[in-house]
Amino acid sequence: MDNKPVIFFLSLLLLAALIVALYQSKANPFTQGKAPVAVSDAQNPAVNPHQADPAIELYTTNCARCHGGFGEGKGTNPSLQKNGLGVEQIIHIITNGRGSMPSFIRFSPAELQKLAELVQRF
Ligand code: HEC
């Protein structure tokens, strides 16, 4: 009796199983070392530890264009990092403006508090 076709068929099955196993394996060379999907720095919790804080949104929309995404400063606008200002002082600057910085009157007291605390943590 000729077993060749049976052996050929079994080899094919084995090969298919190997391919599936390789594909599903964590060691799959096709997915290893894949670059993470690009997200903007402000949304990336690995880069921006304040990401979970709603104040980050207020900061990003209202302040980042002048003071930079991390309060690092931009152009002639000063850095907000480690400036030693207290929450009250920061709230005063936000609501009254200073020099070429505009005043912001639309924030609620709670929002001002959160924003000032965020600026303090930069
Ligand atoms: C149009 C650009 C601009 C925007 C928008 C802006 N700032 Fe400023 N900010 C400045 C400038 C310029 C100064 C420096 C003012 C001075 O002392 O003459 C400043 C100063 C400050 C200071 C004082 C820094 C220090 O060391 O004395 C704080 C705190 C501050 N800004 C927070 C904020 C926050 C919070 C927001 C968003 C609600 C904001 N700024 C939005 C331009 C801006």
Side-chain angles (χ1 to χ4, degrees), residues 10-28:
L10 285 176
S11 315
L12 269 185
L13 263 182
L14 193 68
L15 190 65
L18 266 175
I19 290 171
V20 169
L22 183 69
Y23 186 70
Q24 292 179 338
S25 136
K26 289 218 164 59
N28 182 351

Side-chain angles (χ1 to χ4, degrees), residues 62-63 65-67 77-78 80 93-94 98-102 104:
N62 298 285
C63 324
R65 70 192 161 95
C66 286
H67 292 290
N77 303 302
L80 303 179
I93 294 167
I94 298 172
R98 192 201 269 182
S100 54
M101 175 174 158
F104 294 84

Side-chain angles (χ1 to χ4, degrees), residues 13-92:
L13 263 182
L14 193 68
L15 190 65
L18 266 175
I19 290 171
V20 169
L22 183 69
Y23 186 70
Q24 292 179 338
S25 136
K26 289 218 164 59
N28 182 351
F30 300 109
T31 57
Q32 243 182 12
K34 212 172 174 181
V37 178
V39 284
S40 86
D41 283 352
Q43 296 169 322
N44 185 348
V47 177
N48 192 333
H50 309 308
Q51 194 255 353
D53 193 330
I56 191 71
E57 201 186 323
L58 289 177
Y59 179 84
T60 311
T61 354
N62 298 285
C63 324
R65 70 192 161 95
C66 286
H67 292 290
F70 307 96
E72 72 274 24
K74 214 181 211 181
T76 56
N77 303 302
S79 159
L80 303 179
Q81 291 170 356
K82 312 213 176 355
N83 57 27
L85 293 170
V87 167
E88 292 305 316
Q89 289 170 293
I90 297 171
I91 290 178
H92 181 85

Side-chain angles (χ1 to χ4, degrees), residues 2 4 17 22 36 47 51 62 73 78 87 96 105-106 111 121:
D2 188 5
K4 268 182 190 156
L22 183 69
V47 177
Q51 194 255 353
N62 298 285
V87 167
N96 293 281
I105 53 169
R106 63 177 171 280
E111 284 174 333
R121 292 200 302 273

